[in-house]
Amino acid sequence: MSSPIQSSLQALQTLAAQAAGGAKAASVQTSVGAGGFADELAASIDRINRLQQQAGAKGLAFQSGAPGVELDDLMVDMQKASLAFQMGVQVRNRLISAYRDIMNMQV
């Protein structure tokens, strides 16, 4: 489960580094301050990862017969993790599409 998250995170970090342009990144971060787009994107990826880890842990607990783990709770958590991951993939796809559009613009 963590492999798709890791590859998505790596693709987003590569895209962010290319968009920032090295030396420009420092000036962008100081002008934007804390709580910028990159921070929010990283926090969203962390939330998606956390949801998937919680769903995986609950699945293992259910399989091992741990008390207090109900099937309906497991299914809800797995759906939350799945929807969050799908949303993250769609955001990544939109970001890549926007980046390509900007790169193809004539100056």
Side-chain angles (χ1 to χ4, degrees):
M1 261 194 244
S2 65
S3 178
I5 292 291
Q6 292 294 350
S7 64
S8 297
L9 178 60
Q10 184 178 9
L12 288 172
Q13 287 174 342
T14 303
L15 183 63
Q18 290 174 348
K24 295 178 184 177
S27 64
V28 169
Q29 288 179 352
T30 56
S31 65
V32 173
F37 180 76
D39 292 336
E40 186 60 36
L41 186 60
S44 296
I45 291 171
D46 288 340
R47 283 191 295 266
I48 292 169
N49 189 28
R50 210 172 23 249
L51 282 172
Q52 287 191 331
Q53 288 177 348
Q54 288 172 352
K58 193 172 273 193
L60 289 174
F62 181 77
Q63 289 175 358
S64 66
V69 180
E70 300 295 327
L71 179 61
D72 55 343
D73 292 335
L74 171 64
M75 297 305 291
V76 167
D77 285 350
M78 292 189 76
Q79 283 298 316
K80 283 181 186 178
S82 176
L83 287 173
F85 182 73
Q86 290 173 10
M87 185 226 28
V89 168
Q90 291 300 319
V91 168
R92 182 207 58 175
N93 291 343
R94 296 286 172 109
L95 284 171
I96 291 171
S97 175
Y99 174 76
R100 287 184 181 150
D101 289 344
I102 291 170
M103 292 305 294
N104 290 332
M105 285 183 184
Q106 295 195 7
V107 181

